[in-house]
């Protein structure tokens, strides 16, 4: 026998409880995003590499080290998407939607990054994602963040996370701040990691986000952006803070949050937790302006976030339970037609029902119990002749004869599952 094949490194199967947690996160987010006025989009899992790697300006780890890029059989360089935002902005332009703004987009799907796998970090993982494309008002920032907060609350994980808010200012603020950072980090060059020396050349703000221990002690003494904010940038940030208050979203300011990708301005934020070890960020996002332009569209201000489904699934207190089924048990072949009639009626009434049709009656009952059924419907020829079945409550063990027509009502029919 050949040795059993395993899933590729950094990927995992979702089965049973893992699958229930996973889809509960996505379905909860989808439901709330719809309530908040977002439309769900879907774009291809792979794109032209240029959608993600845009020129030499991009210094993010994702683009420099983590992309799954390869030449396809036709010699085109394609990339498995590492994030949703770039594809969404590409789709906005490709579909001629830049004239009908704002667009409010919800997204859920798999993402791919070549990373060292560990708890909460995979090579294929999943994100939920919310974007407002084409809105320059601080109210949009607050609404997008508040929508994320509402999803975390609906998942029951809000008490484990803190919203950390920052501003990266507008371009004049950032240019002045960048100059101050370059001065500071140049004076502390000797203590910086190799990666941060590269960042110093290309995007010094990214040093603030470094996870290297040595870098972190240098970063602790680095200047903050506040004295460099223009009055306009300051007003914008104050607006975001005020509207977060109106939405009832608690937050703390953290001047070290810059986000992994390079295109942000003004608002940057993360929901962080201490419950997942090193993988502390569950949801992160910010405001960005140049991305739609880089896809060939007009200058378009946007705000959005992405959250890791795996990390949220791990935070869920308990796996969501499926409603207990009702087991339908025909006794003898002659009862099977009636059993199918009962199954159809129950399912139509919104009751989860399954047939047990193998082995003797004792075996069928044992399987129904094992499946966690709440009731068994036993169909014998005598009862069928009377237009009835035996209904056994598997929790109490009580059994009684019930007419076909009354079955669904007796079992709480039309009650929505879950
Ligand atoms: P990290 O600092 O953990 O690497 P990131 O800044 O690279 O995160 P983003 O690009 O902002 O992450 O993606 C948003 C969210 O997606 C993260 O907050 C996290 O929950 C999730 N995420 C990112 N990379 C992975 C991964 N490799 N495996 C699982 N989840 C991930
Ligand atoms: Mg990362």
């Amino acid at each position: 026998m050949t040795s059993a094949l395993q899933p590729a490194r950094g990927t995992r199967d979702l089965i049973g409880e893992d699958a229930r947690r996973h889809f509960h996160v996505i379905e909860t987010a989808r439901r709330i995003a719809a309530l908040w006025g977002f439309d769900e989009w879907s774009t291809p899992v792979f794109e032209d590499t240029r959608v993600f790697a845009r020129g030499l300006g991009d210094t993010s780890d994702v683009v420099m080290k983590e992309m799954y890029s390869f030449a396809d059989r036709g010699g085109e360089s394609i990339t498995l998407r590492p994030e949703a935002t770039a594809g969404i902005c590409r789709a906005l332009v490709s579909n001629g939607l830049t004239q009908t703004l704002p667009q409010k987009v919800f997204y859920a799907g798999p993402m791919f990054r070549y990373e060292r796998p560990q708890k909460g970090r995979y090579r294929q993982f999943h994100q939920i994602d919310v974007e407002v494309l084409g809105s320059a008002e601080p109210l949009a920032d607050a609404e997008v963040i508040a929508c994320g907060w509402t999803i975390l609350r609906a998942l029951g994980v809000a008490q484990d996370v803190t919203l950390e808010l920052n501003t990266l200012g507008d371009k004049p603020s950032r240019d002045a701040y960048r100059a101050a950072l370059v001065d500071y980090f140049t004076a502390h060059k000797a203590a910086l990691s190799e990666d941060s020396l590269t960042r110093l050349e290309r995007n010094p703000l990214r040093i603030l986000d470094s996870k290297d221990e040595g870098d972190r002690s240098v970063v602790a003494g680095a200047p903050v952006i506040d004295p460099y904010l223009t009055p306009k940038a300051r007003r914008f940030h104050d607006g975001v803070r005020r509207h977060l208050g109106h939405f009832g979203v608690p937050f703390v300011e953290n001047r070290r949050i810059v986000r992994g990708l390079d295109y942000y301005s003004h608002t940057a934020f993360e929901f962080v937790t201490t419950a997942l070890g090193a993988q502390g960020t569950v949801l992160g996002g910010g405001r960005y302006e140049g991305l739609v332009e880089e896809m060939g569209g007009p200058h378009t201000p946007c705000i959005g976030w992405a959250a890791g489904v795996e990390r949220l699934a791990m935070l869920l207190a308990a796996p969501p339970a499926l409603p207990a089924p009702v087991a339908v048990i025909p006794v003898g072949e002659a009862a099977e037609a009636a059993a199918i009639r009962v199954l159809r009626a129950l399912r139509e009434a919104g009751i989860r029902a399954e047939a047990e049709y193998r082995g003797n009656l004792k075996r069928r009952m044992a399987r129904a119990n094992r499946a966690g059924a709440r009731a068994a419907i036993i169909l014998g020829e005598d009862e069928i002749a009377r237009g009835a079945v035996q209904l056994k409550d598997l929790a109490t063990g009580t059994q009684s004869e019930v007419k076909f027509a009354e079955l669904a009502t007796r079992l709480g029919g039309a009650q929505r599952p879950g």
Side-chain angles (χ1 to χ4, degrees):
M1 207 169 91
T2 48
S3 63
L5 290 169
Q6 297 297 317
R9 187 164 147 80
T11 70
R12 53 204 279 270
D13 302 311
L14 292 172
I15 296 170
E17 176 185 327
D18 290 336
R20 285 205 303 279
R21 286 175 176 268
H22 185 91
F23 293 116
H24 178 68
V25 169
I26 294 174
E27 272 150 30
T28 302
R30 179 175 279 139
R31 174 170 61 77
I32 287 165
L35 282 175
W36 285 62
F38 289 86
D39 279 348
E40 185 162 2
W41 288 14
S42 180
T43 62
V45 164
F46 63 86
E47 298 260 6
D48 186 315
T49 295
R50 289 170 297 180
V51 170
F52 306 109
R54 295 169 303 272
L56 290 172
D58 204 320
T59 58
S60 65
D61 286 351
V62 171
V63 173
M64 298 215 308
K65 301 185 200 153
E66 298 172 1
M67 293 217 301
Y68 272 94
S69 300
F70 49 93
D72 69 9
R73 286 169 191 274
E76 305 293 331
S77 175
I78 64 170
T79 296
L80 300 183
R81 62 180 181 205
E83 46 127 355
T85 313
I88 290 170
C89 289
R90 197 270 307 135
L92 182 83
V93 177
S94 309
N95 292 277
L97 295 170
T98 56
Q99 297 308 311
T100 44
L101 299 174
Q103 293 280 336
K104 294 176 71 179
V105 183
F106 171 73
Y107 204 99
M111 307 294 155
F112 306 85
R113 295 183 191 179
Y114 195 82
E115 300 204 66
R116 195 169 65 77
Q118 49 196 295
K119 184 185 170 204
R121 192 175 293 286
Y122 308 97
R123 290 182 172 177
Q124 174 173 333
F125 63 103
H126 298 75
Q127 286 184 339
I128 49 174
D129 185 295
V130 155
E131 312 280 340
V132 176
L133 309 170
S135 181
E137 289 71 35
L139 177 55
D141 304 49
E143 187 170 44
V144 157
I145 296 171
C147 179
W149 168 244
T150 305
I151 291 168
L152 298 177
R153 283 179 52 137
L155 291 171
V157 306
Q159 73 285 349
D160 295 328
V161 301
T162 307
L163 168 58
E164 301 194 336
L165 183 70
N166 194 15
T167 176
L168 305 173
D170 49 12
K171 191 155 184 314
S173 320
R174 217 160 36 253
D175 287 346
Y177 181 46
R178 184 181 293 115
L181 279 181
V182 169
D183 286 349
Y184 173 81
F185 286 126
T186 305
H188 293 81
K189 240 178 166 168
L192 288 180
S193 69
E194 193 95 14
D195 277 349
S196 285
L197 289 174
T198 316
R199 293 179 187 125
L200 184 55
E201 302 281 309
R202 301 176 63 175
N203 186 355
L205 261 78
R206 291 271 295 118
I207 300 175
L208 299 174
D209 189 39
S210 173
K211 282 161 191 158
D212 179 272
E213 280 304 317
D215 288 348
R216 283 180 104 98
S217 59
V218 180
V219 165
V224 293
I225 198 169
D226 298 63
Y228 305 96
L229 289 176
T230 60
K232 217 175 123 202
R234 161 63 52 201
R235 258 199 316 281
F236 190 95
H237 191 57
D238 287 343
V240 176
R241 294 168 49 101
R242 205 168 50 247
H243 289 315
L244 279 175
H246 298 148
F247 276 114
V249 181
F251 62 89
V252 297
E253 294 274 356
N254 179 351
R255 288 288 174 266
R256 301 302 178 218
I257 290 186
V258 291
R259 310 291 311 127
L261 301 165
D262 274 353
Y263 41 70
Y264 291 97
S265 66
H266 289 294
T267 309
F269 62 94
E270 290 184 351
F271 284 90
V272 297
T273 179
T274 51
L276 292 178
Q279 272 54 258
T281 306
V282 293
L283 184 157
R287 176 164 280 285
Y288 53 98
E289 295 186 338
L291 194 54
V292 173
E293 218 166 342
E294 290 187 59
M295 301 298 164
H299 182 80
T300 309
C302 308
I303 167 89
W305 55 253
V309 174
E310 284 78 3
R311 292 186 197 175
L312 289 172
M314 282 192 287
L315 283 180
L316 294 182
L322 285 170
V326 171
V328 176
I329 304 178
V331 183
E333 250 180 78
E336 284 178 356
I340 289 170
R341 238 173 74 206
V342 170
L343 279 171
R344 288 178 64 184
L346 294 181
R347 289 167 178 166
E348 208 142 295
I351 297 167
R352 182 164 138 106
E354 341 184 42
E356 298 295 349
Y357 40 74
R358 290 187 58 198
N360 60 29
L361 180 59
K362 202 171 140 208
R363 286 219 168 151
R364 293 178 197 212
M365 286 299 291
R367 243 192 336 269
N369 274 308
R370 232 179 12 250
R374 58 185 169 112
I377 293 170
I378 303 144
L379 294 109
E381 279 175 46
D382 294 349
E383 286 94 346
I384 293 172
R386 288 195 295 275
V389 302
Q390 289 293 323
L391 177 64
K392 182 169 184 181
D393 184 319
L394 293 181
T396 62
T398 52
Q399 186 168 327
S400 56
E401 190 167 307
V402 178
K403 293 275 180 215
F404 276 142
E406 286 157 24
L407 254 186
T409 326
R410 272 288 285 276
L411 289 164
Q415 186 186 296
R416 300 304 307 155

